[in-house]
Each structure stands twice: as structure tokens, then as C-alpha cells.
Amino acid sequence: MDHDILIAGGGIAGLTAAAAFGAAGFDVLCVDPAPPVASREAPGADLRSTAFLQPAQAFLAEAGLWERLARHATPLQTMRIIDAGGPAPDARLSRDFEASDLSPDLPFGWNLPNWLLRREMAARLQEMDSVTFRTGVSVERLFTRTDEARVSLSDGRTLRCRLLIAADGRDSALRQAAGIDVSCTRFGQKALAFAVTHPIPHGNVSTEIHRTGGPFTLVPLPDHEGRPSSAVVWMEHGARAAALHALDVPEFEAAMTERSAHQFGPLTLASRRAIWPIIAQHARALSSERLALVAEAAHVVPPIGAQGLNMSLTDLKVLRDLARAAPERLGDADMLARYHRARITDIRARIGGITALNRVSMLQAPALRDLRAAGLAALHGAAPLRRALMQLGLGQTR
């Protein structure tokens, strides 16, 4: 056997998986067609940010990643939801959800830019004797048997492993090769992602502003060039998003400042703009012979409530725990069936909940937007329900 585990995909989920399984004592090879883009200004840099929620911290620490990430992380102490659905695009209702309601010492989570995450995670893998990370290489063919997977790589090599992990994205070639179907919902939306600076400090508050088309979310980042900075995800109907993406910078800055309900003063664009379509998608099965699907190969959700990557980390933790509990059964049919059963119900429930929230955020009719605002006020005002929903969002079961 050439490796215990082969991971296809060197995005954040794939790099995390390599670190986690390597730290658990497995021999791991992770491959990706392209090297990580590890600079904010480099062509192809992922300009989104990722919020790691509370439960992720221990898992990242066990993988040896948190020590590298902590010094770059911006804590998320408050989540503020604003309804700006009145006649003018101004805040008419604002409610804060405080991490202190759940724990006195910990924030909801920590936010980091994706390009920086990939830089630090790739550096961690270089330190690990049990992990090999190869770029410029992809999986081309897959042949599985009950006791092993044989993988043909683009460099001409054929390797044998006990478990193949597909972390190769929403259009996963490995998922398709295994014949696993997906259920997909399209919303007619696109998301713009970029970074901004602003004169008013964010105070470690993540701010989600609802009007129509989808939420406009500002997530705290470290100061940039001496000014407060935030990562922004702006979801809009597809044609509107494309038109915004094409605007000259001054026009775009005026539009995003208005859409932000002027919460942080005039917004200044501090990065390139990325755009991508919004879908909700999940694989009908999370495994096949010697193959496990994780992250966006298994599920895709709209960027609401920091659920996407945190669902992916739960995939990895469940899979890692199963492997560590019975290493002699790594990748066998029983282990992979357990993985599917442990994750599929939660994945479907979270996708359903996020899909519903996204449709509410898209409302255009004034009367329905009024109902949305009233619902937010009622939810926040019921303290037990508020705390229960926050715990659910964090993935806590207590």
C-alpha cells in the first residue's frame, strides 16, 4: 500500500483533512492541480473569509493548525442582524446576538481570510513527516476493490490507498466517477466577495443586513493599512450582481455603502471583487467503495450563518474519529456506512434551514419584508429560543 489515505483537493477542507489525519498517525498524500494562492493580491486569490465557529477550535488544535492560525484570527463576539427592508435602504431594526449568552469566555468564532488560511495550512503540512502535499497533480482515474483504491494521477503514477477522500469541490470529479447523484437547488442569485475598509471600527461585530436579493454581510478582519477592515459577502439576484460586479470602483463603492445601511460610514474597496453563483446542493450518498465525500463534494450551502466550512469540519471530525477508533478498518464498507449515517441527517437539516433563511432574505414585497422584521424582533425577544438557535448554529447539542 502506497498510502493510508489519499486526499483529492488542496482547498481549505482538503488541507485541514491532511493535517487532521496526519496528526492522527495516518500516512497521507494530498494532491491538487494548482498550488495554494497565498497572497491577497495574487491572481486567483480566494477573497472570501472563513469564520471558524467555537466547536472547530479543538479540532484545529488537534490537527496542529490552531497554533498557526490563532495569531491571525479576528474574534466574532457579536452577530448583528439588521433589517433594512423599509421604503429607504436604512436600518429600521437591529438586534444583537451575543456570544456571552452562551459562554462568558469564548466568542462565537474567529474569522480569517481564505488566502491566509491556505498559506498557513500548507506551511503546517510541510512540517509533518506523515503528510505529503503535491501540487500540479490531479486524480484522473479511480478503480476500487473491497480492500483498496487504485488511483491514477495526472503525472502518470498509479497509487494504492485504503481510503480516498474527495475534497475536490462542488463539481467533484470523484463523486461523478463514483456515480453518486446530487440534489441541487438554484436560487437565481450570485454572491460578490471582497474586502473593504471603513472609518467606523467593527468592534468584532459580524453584521448581516437584510433588504432584498439576499443578505449583505460584513465580517471583521484585522486593520488594513491602518484602517478598520471587513470581509463582505453581498448576495443579490443574478443580473443585479453581474451589473454590480461590472461597475467602476467609485460607483461600486457608492452602491455598497448604501446597501450597508451606512453602518460603518463610507466603504472603500480594498481588494478585487469575486463573483460566484449561489446554490444549495448535497450528495445523495456520502460514500462509495473506499471513497468518502467531504466538504463541497458532499454539500454546498449559501453563505449564511458561517455554516459551510463548519459543516465540512464536522465531516472531517466524524471521519477522523471513525478512523482513529478502528484504524484496521480504515476505508472499509462498515466504516464508510457509519460515516454516511452519522452525517446525512444533519447535512439535510442544515441545508433545509439555510435554504429557508435564504429565501426569507430574498423577499421583495414590502408586506413580506415587514413580516421578516417582525419575526426577527420576536425571535430575539424570546431569550430561551434565542439561545437555542444560537447553540444550533454553533452545532452544540447541549
Side-chain angles (χ1 to χ4, degrees):
M1 202 68 65
D2 296 295
H3 300 278
D4 292 325
I5 300 169
L6 193 153
I7 300 167
I12 294 171
L15 297 176
T16 303
F21 281 96
F26 295 97
D27 179 82
V28 179
L29 172 65
C30 179
V31 299
D32 193 87
V37 178
S39 167
R40 174 178 175 148
E41 303 305 329
D46 187 344
L47 303 179
R48 296 170 294 177
S49 67
T50 292
F52 291 108
L53 299 178
Q54 275 184 25
Q57 184 187 40
F59 180 69
L60 294 171
E62 291 171 1
L65 292 169
W66 185 246
E67 183 178 358
R68 300 192 67 96
L69 300 178
R71 61 182 178 270
H72 303 290
T74 303
L76 305 177
Q77 195 64 41
T78 302
M79 293 188 178
R80 179 170 297 151
I81 300 180
I82 294 174
D83 189 275
D90 300 320
R92 61 174 177 172
L93 180 72
S94 178
R95 293 293 185 270
D96 287 355
F97 295 79
E98 302 287 353
S100 57
D101 280 357
L102 299 181
S103 58
D105 302 321
L106 288 175
F108 284 117
W110 300 264
N111 196 56
L112 296 100
N114 283 8
W115 62 265
L116 187 147
L117 281 170
R118 295 187 76 183
R119 183 190 76 191
E120 295 300 315
M121 289 178 170
R124 164 61 178 160
L125 298 189
Q126 295 300 316
E127 302 170 347
M128 303 181 70
D129 293 336
S130 56
V131 178
T132 302
F133 178 38
R134 299 193 60 206
T135 59
V137 180
S138 59
V139 174
E140 289 200 335
R141 288 183 300 279
L142 167 65
F143 174 72
T144 62
R145 305 171 70 176
T146 57
D147 58 345
E148 68 177 23
R150 295 182 183 179
V151 180
S152 297
L153 302 179
S154 58
D155 63 2
R157 293 193 302 160
T158 298
L159 301 177
R160 299 162 60 225
C161 63
R162 297 168 65 197
L163 173 63
L164 178 61
I165 297 177
D168 53 345
R170 62 179 63 187
D171 297 318
S172 171
L174 286 177
R175 185 187 66 226
Q176 294 175 40
I180 299 174
D181 292 332
V182 297
S183 175
C184 184
T185 300
R186 301 186 182 276
F187 300 94
Q189 289 171 294
K190 294 183 185 295
L192 294 161
F194 49 92
V196 298
T197 58
H198 37 80
I200 300 173
H202 50 60
N204 293 340
V205 176
S206 177
T207 303
E208 191 173 282
I209 302 163
H210 294 261
R211 182 166 173 80
T212 186
F216 183 100
T217 304
L218 300 103
V219 186
L221 291 174
D223 288 358
H224 178 62
E225 297 181 348
R227 302 190 74 207
S229 181
S230 296
V232 176
V233 176
W234 183 357
M235 293 166 60
E236 261 293 356
H237 297 288
R240 169 67 172 154
L244 288 165
H245 188 251
L247 289 177
D248 292 338
V249 170
E251 294 174 298
F252 185 75
E253 289 179 336
M256 67 179 175
T257 297
E258 180 179 84
R259 184 61 181 83
S260 73
H262 304 274
Q263 291 297 295
F264 298 98
L267 302 183
T268 301
L269 190 64
S271 74
R272 295 178 295 105
R273 287 167 275 180
I275 187 169
W276 77 96
I278 298 299
I279 64 171
Q281 175 177 287
H282 72 273
R284 297 187 187 277
L286 302 180
S287 64
S288 183
E289 189 173 62
R290 292 285 159 181
L291 173 68
L293 308 183
V294 301
E296 289 202 338
H299 46 74
V300 182
V301 294
I304 294 175
Q307 293 297 299
L309 188 66
N310 289 277
M311 290 170 64
S312 303
L313 295 183
T314 304
D315 298 341
L316 299 180
K317 183 179 186 304
V318 168
L319 197 60
R320 189 278 313 268
D321 289 350
L322 287 167
R324 195 163 57 179
E328 73 282 359
R329 306 198 66 174
L330 178 69
D332 73 8
D334 179 68
M335 174 192 163
L336 293 175
R338 288 173 182 267
Y339 169 63
H340 172 87
R341 291 195 299 269
R343 291 295 298 133
I344 194 66
T345 300
D346 179 67
I347 287 169
R348 289 171 176 164
R350 289 185 184 274
I351 288 177
I354 296 166
T355 294
L357 288 173
N358 188 39
R359 294 201 185 282
V360 169
S361 77
M362 295 172 67
L363 294 174
Q364 298 187 67
L368 294 177
R369 297 198 316 224
D370 291 345
L371 284 174
R372 180 182 63 200
L376 171 60
L379 184 155
H380 186 274
L385 177 59
R386 182 177 72 243
R387 286 192 292 270
L389 288 174
M390 288 192 290
Q391 288 176 341
L392 180 63
L394 292 179
Q396 297 175 346
T397 56
R398 58 181 172 83

